[in-house]
Amino acid sequence: MQSDNPTAAILVIGDEILSGRTREGNAHYLSQVLNSIGVDLREVRIVGDDHDQITAAIRALDCSLGGAWDMLFTSGGIGPTHDDITADAVAAAFGVGIEINEEARRVMVERWQARGVEVTGNRLRMARIPLGAALIPNAHSAAPGFHIGNTYVMAGVPEVFRAMVEAVVPGLPTGRPSVSEALEVLRPESDVADELRAVADAFPDLSLGSYPFQSGQRYGTSLVIRGLDDKRVTDAMTLLRERLAL
Amino acid sequence: MQSDNPTAAILVIGDEILSGRTREGNAHYLSQVLNSIGVDLREVRIVGDDHDQITAAIRALDCSLGGAWDMLFTSGGIGPTHDDITADAVAAAFGVGIEINEEARRVMVERWQARGVEVTGNRLRMARIPLGAALIPNAHSAAPGFHIGNTYVMAGVPEVFRAMVEAVVPGLPTGRPSVSEALEVLRPESDVADELRAVADAFPDLSLGSYPFQSGQRYGTSLVIRGLDDKRVTDAMTLLRERLAL
């Protein structure tokens, strides 16, 4: 699909994903949010709680560090325990120091005191923020995410991740959301490949995908046409229906 | 976690994942299979139907091409339509040609003829295999995956992916499967961080993770200890319980 939309990557951090213990869902959620504001998600990476892997991935993915994409969103590893190493790895990737952020500390202490929770060193660990980063507030937990370069660092807990995404989205560069039309046919994929290719050739600005499914003993295919322009997508779907004699 | 286990990466290929249309599940499934045979999954990448991105990822991830991990498993993009470009990208990554594989052609034609399905050019497109690759049979569909270098190329359709994984697993190098014990406590993560860190320091060969959850109005934490040695994991859990006065 041709597009001048801003591009993005997601970096998911956590041993529990790679071990199979937890099924990742934050990237799927964010992919839909990004699509709705016209940001083209181009890559997702999942790595473990490993300092060097996290640092290398940030450098590879954030264009402000010479990486491939306009924006990078990370999920996971900013909690209070020893295996939460994302903030340190981000600081290392950007070549900046990391220390207790006074604004983060103030917000967190206020919330904890209101709830009668003791302020401990482990809790304050979550206020350690790379120098130069801006905080990402969230309604759900006291601990903030942060934003440095073109990287947005967010929590892995799904409710908190979503709250941080909501806080971040209004400030993001946006593009034209893609629109799509889908058609299900009860024919195997290889049966409709010629027609699909003919339409793809006639509409090089659109993305045409085919996704096989099984319905009882019959093989079917979902045909999806995606693009930035409503009318082009509709015209392409009309041509596809004609070609398929539907 | 210290381990001499073989390492692996997964590369998921498909625009439909990045657009948010489809929630990825093959990587989660394979992560559990790999864990069960003692292969350490170290990285997952998701890219679109983009030749250069696929090629670059294969080179970065397969150690036989100078990449980071012992084995690479790919999912998606080996069907019969114009957007199925994985086989060509794999051939390019390995610097080999690609042509109709006679064994693949024979198997596919036999199955189609048995089912009374016409043999078309689009169907035969699925028999195009990089030179030097070995086929991965599967019970579910006629079209094979293939294996070249240390890369295993499999279908994206979940049923077919699983059938191919089953065909591949008996031939993989294996290691010691990790074992884990979990403990749920109704205390927030920051409340148990000191105890967790103390146990982590005492058992540097193990991986200790903490995963917050919410239960009604209460915050809880799942504590997971993972390692290769049953007894070490049990000893660490005993120490953790002591530290937490449980």
Side-chain angles (χ1 to χ4, degrees):
Chain A
M1 193 175 71
Q2 291 165 2
S3 143
D4 298 322
N5 284 347
T7 60
I10 299 174
L11 175 63
V12 177
I13 298 157
D15 286 347
E16 74 279 15
I17 314 283
L18 294 178
S19 74
R21 182 180 172 277
T22 301
R23 184 175 175 188
E24 212 292 308
N26 288 344
H28 180 58
Y29 166 75
L30 182 53
S31 69
Q32 296 179 321
V33 172
L34 292 175
N35 190 56
S36 74
I37 61 171
V39 172
D40 292 350
L41 177 63
R42 296 291 185 85
E43 185 169 351
V44 177
R45 292 194 193 181
I46 308 176
V47 300
D49 301 314
D50 180 285
H51 183 276
D52 293 347
Q53 267 192 278
I54 299 169
T55 303
I58 293 166
R59 290 190 177 132
L61 298 172
D62 179 338
C63 74
S64 78
L65 293 174
W69 313 116
D70 296 335
M71 289 166 260
L72 170 64
F73 302 89
T74 79
S75 161
I78 62 168
T81 57
H82 67 282
D83 57 337
D84 290 305
I85 61 173
T86 297
D88 289 272
V90 172
F94 282 89
V96 300
I98 180 167
E99 57 185 44
I100 297 281
N101 178 295
E102 280 310 314
E103 183 188 348
R105 201 176 87 92
R106 187 181 52 73
V107 171
M108 291 166 73
V109 168
E110 268 174 24
R111 286 223 212 173
W112 289 330
Q113 288 178 339
R115 282 171 43 208
V117 174
E118 192 189 351
V119 178
T120 64
N122 285 317
R123 294 217 161 89
L124 281 179
R125 192 174 140 78
M126 291 189 285
R128 293 175 68 250
I129 304 285
L131 292 170
L135 301 185
I136 301 174
N138 82 94
H140 202 90
S141 90
F146 58 87
H147 165 207
I148 181 170
N150 291 357
T151 295
Y152 298 81
V153 177
M154 300 183 285
V157 180
E159 297 79 7
V160 183
F161 181 81
R162 290 177 184 224
M164 290 185 180
V165 168
E166 280 174 29
V168 156
V169 160
L172 296 179
T174 57
R176 292 177 69 182
S178 69
V179 292
S180 67
E181 291 190 28
L183 174 68
E184 291 201 346
V185 294
L186 273 179
R187 295 166 62 179
E189 203 179 6
S190 47
D191 250 23
V192 296
D194 283 339
E195 291 78 3
L196 198 64
R197 184 188 295 266
V199 178
D201 288 346
F203 290 83
D205 51 320
L206 305 183
S207 159
L208 277 75
S210 65
Y211 309 104
F213 64 86
Q214 214 171 336
S215 172
Q217 287 303 302
R218 300 197 64 175
Y219 291 92
T221 307
S222 287
L223 302 167
V224 179
I225 303 179
R226 184 178 294 276
L228 299 182
D229 184 307
D230 266 341
K231 182 161 185 321
R232 293 284 291 167
V233 170
T234 302
D235 289 351
M237 186 56 89
T238 302
L239 178 61
L240 181 60
R241 285 178 177 278
E242 276 174 28
R243 289 290 197 134
L244 293 169
L246 292 174
Chain B
M1 194 174 72
Q2 290 164 3
S3 143
D4 298 322
N5 284 347
T7 61
I10 300 173
L11 175 63
V12 177
I13 298 157
D15 286 347
E16 73 279 15
I17 314 282
L18 294 177
S19 74
R21 183 180 172 277
T22 301
R23 182 173 176 188
E24 212 292 309
N26 288 345
H28 179 59
Y29 166 75
L30 183 53
S31 68
Q32 296 178 322
V33 172
L34 292 175
N35 189 57
S36 74
I37 60 170
V39 173
D40 293 349
L41 177 62
R42 297 291 186 85
E43 186 170 352
V44 176
R45 292 194 193 182
I46 308 175
V47 300
D49 301 314
D50 180 286
H51 183 277
D52 293 346
Q53 267 192 277
I54 299 169
T55 303
I58 292 167
R59 291 190 176 133
L61 297 173
D62 179 337
C63 73
S64 78
L65 292 174
W69 313 117
D70 295 336
M71 290 167 260
L72 171 63
F73 302 89
T74 79
S75 162
I78 62 168
T81 57
H82 67 283
D83 57 337
D84 290 306
I85 61 173
T86 296
D88 289 273
V90 172
F94 282 89
V96 301
I98 180 167
E99 57 187 42
I100 295 281
N101 177 294
E102 281 310 315
E103 184 189 347
R105 200 176 88 91
R106 188 182 52 74
V107 172
M108 291 165 74
V109 168
E110 269 175 22
R111 286 224 211 172
W112 290 329
Q113 288 179 338
R115 283 170 42 207
V117 175
E118 192 189 352
V119 178
T120 64
N122 286 317
R123 294 219 161 87
L124 281 179
R125 192 175 141 77
M126 292 189 284
R128 293 176 68 249
I129 304 284
L131 292 170
L135 300 186
I136 301 173
N138 83 95
H140 201 91
S141 92
F146 58 86
H147 165 207
I148 181 170
N150 291 356
T151 295
Y152 298 82
V153 177
M154 300 184 285
V157 179
E159 297 79 8
V160 184
F161 180 81
R162 290 176 185 225
M164 290 184 178
V165 168
E166 280 174 29
V168 155
V169 159
L172 296 180
T174 57
R176 292 177 68 182
S178 69
V179 293
S180 67
E181 291 190 27
L183 175 69
E184 290 201 345
V185 293
L186 272 180
R187 294 165 62 178
E189 205 180 5
S190 47
D191 251 22
V192 295
D194 284 338
E195 292 78 3
L196 198 64
R197 183 188 295 266
V199 177
D201 289 345
F203 290 83
D205 52 320
L206 305 182
S207 160
L208 276 74
S210 65
Y211 309 104
F213 64 85
Q214 214 173 335
S215 171
Q217 285 305 303
R218 299 196 64 174
Y219 291 92
T221 307
S222 288
L223 301 168
V224 179
I225 302 179
R226 184 179 294 277
L228 298 183
D229 184 308
D230 266 342
K231 181 161 186 319
R232 292 286 290 168
V233 170
T234 302
D235 289 350
M237 186 56 91
T238 302
L239 178 60
L240 181 60
R241 285 178 176 277
E242 276 173 27
R243 288 291 194 134
L244 293 169
L246 292 175

